[in-house]
Amino acid sequence: MNDLVRQHTALSESDLEWLHLLVSEWQLLSDLSFADLVLWVPTRDGTRYVSVAQMRPNTGPTSYQDDMVGHLVPRGRRPLLDAALDEGRIVREGDPEWREEVPVRVESIPVRREGRVLGVIARNTNLLTVRTPSRLELTYLQSASDLAQMIAAGSFPFPGQQVDMDASPRVGDGLIRLDAEGVVQYASPNALSAYHRLGLASDLVGHHLGRTTDELAPARGPVDEAIVKLASGYAPRETEVEGSGGVIQLRAIPLKPKGTRIGSLVLLRDVTELRRRERELITKDATIREIHHRVKNNLQTVAALLRLQARRMDSPQGREALDEAVRRVGSIAIVHETLSQNLDERVEFDEIADRVLAMVAEISPGTVVCRRTGRFGILDAEVATPLSMVLTEILQNALEHAFAPGEQGRVDVSVVRSGARGGELAKKRGDGPRSDGRLLITVQDDGRGLPEGFDPRRAGNLGLQIVRTLVEGELGGGFDMVPAPVHGTRVVLDIPVEPQK
């Protein structure tokens, strides 16, 4: 619609915004009218009309099998459009049109804003299935007529009341027609069923909807004036009402066809099952977070026990092995602590990486600075947990073996995350593309470097065995350890991940 209006018409941005507001609401008019709606706007030179939007009813057969959006019609070909635009009134004159042996009644409704007619809504009703209307259909048609008059007068849609049509109740979900005092004149079967679920034991017709709704809601002390007013239809509002047996969503639409409120429409939907499922999900999310919290606490307990055991060890090698185990357990605990604070099984890994850097830096034999550049971004838990252990092992290995006691140095962790196919190690080995997203991690130190003839794939170091197993087996990535360009050691990890959103 934006492109069509800007290309063919002279409407301003504020006029276009008004049309967007109208289109967000006109499913209501289409359903109440049992009719197709097409919005026609005069072109910049005034010689033609361009159709910028179309809506089909959910309550009846369509009059248009084809898409009408983008069609251009010369002025004079459709007299009803001309009359509605020039005279600013709803035009219903004329005999039905025949389209593919189907009689169609055509009406034109001017779209007014601040005294100006911006365009015309062509309302097209398929008359093939016309029969004696029921009370429900008569109520629909009368409500549609009132809304059409409000559109022609410029009082509908309501400014500042943008409606999410996916979430808001629709005509078929349940409809109640109120008089000017808020008393129910008509309630559709779905609306009555929803109120019965709230606990209503009688019919709704003849009752004041606001006070009835307030009585069905749980006791809250004094009368809830907000619910009473909303359910009475005095202003365009939405709310939810929860009773002992269910939850209903209400939307009130005041009807002012001639400037004075003559009554209201109340659309409602029974959302009891939807809210029940949402609460179950919230409960499950809370349970999952609590599990992660308890796992973190248990891991911290294990780490504390290992520290106690290390302090009692006489063997330096045994104490060092237990300290390494403490750090491995600690890296996993950090992930679970982060997961316990999230609503889903995804974590911001940069925070975890920084905490792992700080934890491992505590074992530095000298003055070694650890620094991270680049961002890991958000990772799934099944990637974050092994990756935290891998990072811990690589950093721990660098700090233990690259620097002598008291020596100064630096360890840089560089991260590049992209959605491009392939990766540095995949290309190097000729494996070809494997994932839409890659995480390339480089850990480089400026220490003493690798021993002569060192092969990371044959090294018996437990830490490197853990890294190989996790990276290649669990993460499906690549791992390599090579001499740095100048001096020191470079470790490269190439891991497939989901592309950044």
Side-chain angles (χ1 to χ4, degrees):
M1 187 167 73
N2 286 350
D3 293 339
L4 289 170
V5 169
R6 289 166 182 159
Q7 179 182 353
H8 295 285
T9 78
L11 296 182
S12 65
E13 290 298 317
S14 57
D15 292 335
L16 178 57
E17 186 61 32
W18 182 263
L19 295 184
H20 274 293
L21 193 61
L22 172 66
V23 169
S24 74
E25 291 274 26
W26 72 343
Q27 180 74 63
L28 173 63
L29 177 63
S30 178
D31 290 345
L32 290 173
S33 304
F34 308 97
D36 290 73
L37 306 179
V38 179
L39 178 57
W40 296 93
V41 180
T43 57
R44 190 174 288 104
D45 58 9
T47 62
R48 295 180 296 175
Y49 297 96
V50 58
S51 59
V52 298
Q54 179 179 0
M55 179 58 67
R56 294 183 174 90
N58 294 318
T59 52
T62 183
S63 302
Y64 285 111
Q65 297 298 327
D66 299 327
D67 185 8
M68 294 296 296
V69 176
H71 282 217
L72 290 164
V73 173
R75 184 177 171 87
R77 179 176 294 180
R78 301 196 177 186
L80 296 185
L81 293 182
D82 298 338
L85 183 69
D86 297 338
E87 301 172 24
R89 66 180 179 89
I90 299 176
V91 182
R92 297 188 175 93
E93 297 88 355
D95 297 327
E97 296 181 2
W98 287 84
R99 300 174 189 165
E100 298 180 358
E101 300 183 354
V102 175
V104 177
R105 182 175 64 242
V106 181
E107 305 165 87
S108 295
I109 305 167
V111 177
R112 192 183 305 273
R113 175 180 179 263
E114 296 180 352
R116 296 180 301 111
V117 178
L118 307 182
V120 179
I121 294 175
R123 181 164 55 176
N124 303 267
T125 307
N126 187 325
L127 300 178
L128 195 61
T129 57
V130 169
R131 53 186 174 80
T132 304
S134 65
R135 177 73 187 280
L136 179 144
E137 291 167 329
L138 289 173
T139 303
Y140 277 21
L141 293 172
Q142 180 58 54
S143 302
S145 177
D146 294 335
L147 284 177
Q149 293 181 57
M150 292 170 65
I151 291 172
S155 57
F156 186 84
F158 304 109
Q161 291 290 322
Q162 188 81 30
V163 175
D164 182 359
M165 293 307 298
D166 292 331
S168 185
R170 298 194 178 192
V171 170
D173 296 327
L175 177 142
I176 297 175
R177 173 87 185 215
L178 308 178
D179 65 13
E181 302 301 321
V183 177
V184 178
Q185 293 180 311
Y186 175 79
S188 70
N190 284 347
L192 194 58
S193 296
Y195 265 83
H196 284 165
R197 191 160 188 175
L198 277 185
L200 181 69
S202 61
D203 195 2
L204 268 175
V205 176
H207 292 270
H208 189 279
L209 186 65
R211 289 194 288 270
T212 301
T213 303
D214 183 72
E215 291 170 0
L216 294 173
R220 295 177 300 276
V223 174
D224 191 329
E225 294 296 334
I227 288 183
V228 172
K229 287 185 177 180
L230 187 145
S232 300
Y234 291 113
R237 295 285 187 275
E238 285 195 40
T239 192
E240 284 189 6
V241 178
E242 183 170 358
S244 57
V247 184
I248 61 173
Q249 183 181 9
L250 294 176
R251 183 191 176 199
I253 303 170
L255 297 176
K256 304 176 182 179
K258 296 181 179 179
T260 303
R261 192 174 71 87
I262 64 168
S264 304
L265 279 182
V266 177
L267 304 180
L268 61 126
R269 175 191 296 164
D270 185 346
V271 293
T272 305
E273 289 303 313
L274 179 62
R275 297 296 174 259
R276 181 185 64 81
R277 291 173 185 172
E278 287 178 351
R279 288 168 183 165
E280 287 181 354
L281 287 175
I282 291 172
T283 302
K284 288 179 181 178
D285 286 340
T287 302
I288 291 170
R289 291 199 300 272
E290 178 62 22
I291 289 172
H292 284 302
H293 182 71
R294 294 190 180 189
V295 170
K296 182 262 296 184
N297 288 344
N298 290 338
L299 289 172
Q300 289 180 338
T301 301
V302 171
L305 292 173
L306 291 173
R307 287 193 197 96
L308 288 173
Q309 186 65 43
R311 290 171 188 162
R312 296 174 176 269
M313 293 287 293
D314 295 329
S315 168
Q317 292 85 358
R319 189 181 302 112
E320 182 179 345
L322 288 176
D323 287 339
E324 288 182 359
V326 168
R327 285 187 287 275
R328 288 166 184 152
V329 171
S331 65
I332 302 174
I334 291 173
V335 177
H336 283 282
E337 181 180 3
T338 306
L339 287 169
S340 70
Q341 300 167 1
N342 292 345
L343 293 176
D344 55 15
E345 292 291 288
R346 295 168 64 82
V347 295
E348 177 63 62
F349 196 79
D350 296 298
E351 177 186 349
I352 294 174
D354 291 340
R355 293 179 63 179
V356 168
L357 281 169
M359 177 181 69
V360 176
E362 295 177 358
I363 68 166
S364 172
T367 307
V368 179
V369 177
C370 296
R371 188 181 65 176
R372 171 179 64 88
T373 57
R375 295 190 70 251
F376 289 88
I378 297 176
L379 299 176
D380 291 333
E382 57 264 28
V383 175
T385 301
L387 183 57
S388 68
M389 283 197 66
V390 168
L391 196 58
T392 300
E393 295 298 332
I394 293 173
L395 291 170
Q396 187 169 285
N397 188 72
L399 293 174
E400 285 184 356
H401 302 292
F403 305 101
E407 184 180 1
Q408 294 185 349
R410 194 168 86 178
V411 178
D412 290 319
V413 179
S414 174
V415 188
V416 177
R417 183 170 181 175
S418 69
R421 288 185 172 271
E424 182 178 297
L425 291 180
K427 294 175 183 177
K428 178 181 176 180
R429 295 192 303 268
D431 294 342
R434 292 178 300 168
S435 174
D436 285 335
R438 310 297 302 182
L439 190 62
L440 183 64
I441 307 167
T442 304
V443 181
Q444 182 170 315
D445 63 69
D446 59 356
R448 66 185 66 162
L450 296 173
E452 188 70 26
F454 178 81
D455 184 356
R457 296 188 171 277
R458 298 181 179 275
N461 181 288
L462 176 61
L464 292 181
Q465 290 180 8
I466 292 174
V467 170
R468 284 199 305 271
T469 301
L470 292 177
V471 172
E472 297 176 354
E474 190 163 344
L475 295 175
F479 159 72
D480 202 0
M481 178 181 285
V482 296
V486 180
H487 57 86
T489 303
R490 171 184 288 179
V491 178
V492 181
L493 307 174
D494 187 7
I495 299 170
V497 294
E498 288 186 2
Q500 284 277 47
K501 296 181 180 180

